[in-house]
Amino acid sequence: MRAFCAVLALLAFVACGAANESLDQRACPSESTPLTYETFGAGFFAQWCESCHSGSSTNRNGAPPNVTFDTQPQVIQWKDRIYARAADDNTSMPLGPSGPDDTTRHQLGDWLACGAP
């Protein structure tokens, strides 16, 4: 039984690792209309992140005070961490029962992989 549990734990660890590839391993897709901060990023962060990650937020719900996403340069500064928490199949942020749908999370992954232009 102990060996069975060890195998299950190993499989769970491998499966979790596969979903959380790092941003530097994520290819920027070639598409005719790339996402930009104006067409995607600003709205995404306003809707899903800035309630906790804004410099003017009155209730950051434990978000570190230096991790703010009010501007494109701030987002770019944290893009690896944002990817690991919220893009593609990474779903630990935003906190709570609801968040961006899978399509939107993959768009975030695309946008970040292309350098968050």
Side-chain angles (χ1 to χ4, degrees):
M1 182 65 162
R2 200 175 267 172
F4 177 73
C5 290
V7 168
L8 283 178
L10 179 61
L11 287 174
F13 176 77
V14 169
C16 289
N20 296 316
E21 72 181 57
S22 66
L23 182 56
D24 63 346
Q25 296 172 330
R26 173 69 153 75
C28 173
S30 59
E31 34 182 72
S32 58
T33 309
L35 300 170
T36 66
Y37 185 74
E38 291 76 23
T39 64
F40 175 79
F44 180 91
F45 286 92
Q47 180 175 0
W48 298 108
C49 308
E50 290 176 4
S51 62
C52 298
H53 291 282
S54 173
S56 62
S57 178
T58 58
N59 183 6
R60 295 180 63 85
N61 292 308
N66 65 322
V67 182
T68 57
F69 306 143
D70 295 322
T71 66
Q72 185 178 11
Q74 289 172 328
V75 169
I76 290 170
Q77 176 185 355
W78 295 102
K79 68 180 182 165
D80 291 325
R81 192 169 192 184
I82 292 166
Y83 179 83
R85 301 281 183 137
D88 288 337
D89 296 326
N90 302 314
T91 60
S92 65
M93 288 287 167
L95 297 175
S98 61
D101 61 28
D102 290 345
T103 299
T104 304
R105 287 186 186 275
H106 284 276
Q107 286 178 313
L108 177 61
D110 290 346
W111 182 68
L112 292 170
C114 293

